[in-house]
């Protein structure tokens, strides 16, 4: 469990690469009284990530890093996280894999959301693979991040039934709506709320 010091919200950074709908939802949640976290920093590997606009709208500092030289960049990110006193990280559609060293510095403090019922369908293109296998259910998972892709300890999952004429897009939309709710619940659970 992440311990809260006093009643201050835990300073959190959200890492994104794309649209940022989970980021948007987390920011909204963070502003509620019951949220144990505040979002103080947005980090992206992609300067064109649509989600970066939520930084501007909500006056949250955003930083973009070019991941070509990963080790060097991760050290720079760690410095920025320190500067902003970040104690927790939420990955939300972040398309880069963090090193063991980086994860070790935030042990048990990095969460990720994945659009499948892990341990099934790790990695990319989950919805199409789920449909190709004629699965009856799909869903999403919030888990702790460890050094193996989509493999850390599961915090919460939510299941959804696949409809008869489901497409990759319709399933994607359905699961994304669930993700927004699940991420909040998972954060509350991590903080034992
Ligand atoms: C979500 O489906 C998330 O589970 C996956 O990437 C997608 C990001 O969506 N890791 P968004 O950028 O939060 O809208």
């Amino acid at each position: 469990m992440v311990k809260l010091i006093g009643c201050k919200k835990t300073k959190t950074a959200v890492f994104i690469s794309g649209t940022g709908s989970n980021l948007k939802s987390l920011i909204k949640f963070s502003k509620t009284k019951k949220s144990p976290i505040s979002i103080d920093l947005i980090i992206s590997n992609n300067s064109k990530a649509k989600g970066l606009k939520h930084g501007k709208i909500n006056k949250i500092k955003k930083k973009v890093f070019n991941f070509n030289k990963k080790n060097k960049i991760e050290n720079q990110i760690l410095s920025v996280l320190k500067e902003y006193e970040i104690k927790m990280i939420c990955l939300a559609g972040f398309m880069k894999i963090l090193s063991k060293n980086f994860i070790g510095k935030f042990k048990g403090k990095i969460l990720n959301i994945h659009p499948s019922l892990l341990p099934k369908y790790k990695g990319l293109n989950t919805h199409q693979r789920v449909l190709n296998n004629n699965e009856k259910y799909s869903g999403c998972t919030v888990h702790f991040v460890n050094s193996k892709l989509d493999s850390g300890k599961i915090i919460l999952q939510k299941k959804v039934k696949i409809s008869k004429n489901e497409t990759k897009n319709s399933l994607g939309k359905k699961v994304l709506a669930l993700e927004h709710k699940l991420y909040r619940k998972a954060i509350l659970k991590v903080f034992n709320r």
Side-chain angles (χ1 to χ4, degrees):
M1 297 295 158
V2 178
K3 279 194 184 138
L4 279 174
I5 304 157
C7 54
K8 269 194 183 166
K9 292 186 178 184
T10 296
K11 291 191 177 188
T12 300
V14 182
F15 287 30
I16 63 163
S17 299
T19 315
S21 69
N22 277 291
L23 165 66
K24 185 181 175 193
S25 164
L26 285 175
I27 293 172
K28 196 173 172 197
F29 171 64
S30 73
K31 291 179 177 171
T32 64
K33 213 175 167 189
K34 71 173 179 182
S35 169
I37 64 161
S38 58
I39 312 277
D40 298 89
L41 188 62
I42 298 164
I43 286 187
S44 183
N45 62 309
N46 175 12
S47 60
K48 294 195 171 75
K50 279 190 190 163
L52 286 170
K53 71 174 182 220
H54 298 297
K56 197 168 184 189
I57 296 167
N58 295 283
K59 298 193 177 67
I60 299 169
K61 189 79 188 165
K62 55 184 197 291
K63 301 250 181 200
V64 176
F65 292 91
N66 179 343
F67 264 69
N68 286 346
K69 286 182 184 162
K70 196 163 133 185
N71 287 349
K72 202 173 147 206
I73 290 311
E74 284 192 343
N75 285 333
Q76 287 178 19
I77 296 177
L78 286 169
S79 306
V80 174
L81 295 174
K82 202 170 178 190
E83 183 189 336
Y84 283 82
E85 300 175 330
I86 298 299
K87 301 284 183 262
M88 187 163 176
I89 295 172
C90 290
L91 307 183
F94 183 62
M95 303 302 279
K96 293 285 172 187
I97 295 172
L98 297 165
S99 73
K100 209 172 173 178
N101 173 58
F102 185 98
I103 294 164
K105 299 267 172 19
F106 275 83
K107 224 175 168 192
K109 305 280 168 58
I110 310 180
L111 273 52
N112 182 41
I113 186 144
H114 185 76
S116 80
L117 294 171
L118 290 174
K120 285 174 117 179
Y121 304 103
K122 296 173 184 173
L124 298 175
N125 201 19
T126 49
H127 304 311
Q128 190 58 59
R129 287 188 286 139
V130 163
L131 294 176
N132 291 348
N133 284 346
N134 295 317
E135 297 280 5
K136 286 199 172 73
Y137 293 92
S138 191
C140 49
T141 305
V142 179
H143 63 95
F144 287 109
V145 171
N146 66 10
S147 55
K148 286 191 198 137
L149 181 71
D150 301 326
S151 298
K153 191 175 174 227
I154 290 171
I155 301 163
L156 276 182
Q157 285 188 315
K158 181 82 184 165
K159 206 161 135 182
V160 68
K161 202 169 186 325
I162 294 176
S163 320
K164 238 187 170 182
N165 298 314
E166 201 78 81
T167 64
K168 179 180 149 182
N169 287 346
S170 65
L171 181 59
K173 276 188 192 161
K174 224 150 94 171
V175 171
L176 198 58
L178 290 182
E179 289 183 36
H180 300 158
K181 290 182 191 153
L182 193 74
Y183 221 152
R184 298 160 182 219
K185 279 191 185 165
I187 289 168
L188 288 169
K189 187 173 173 194
V190 165
F191 283 86
N192 214 4
R193 299 273 178 98

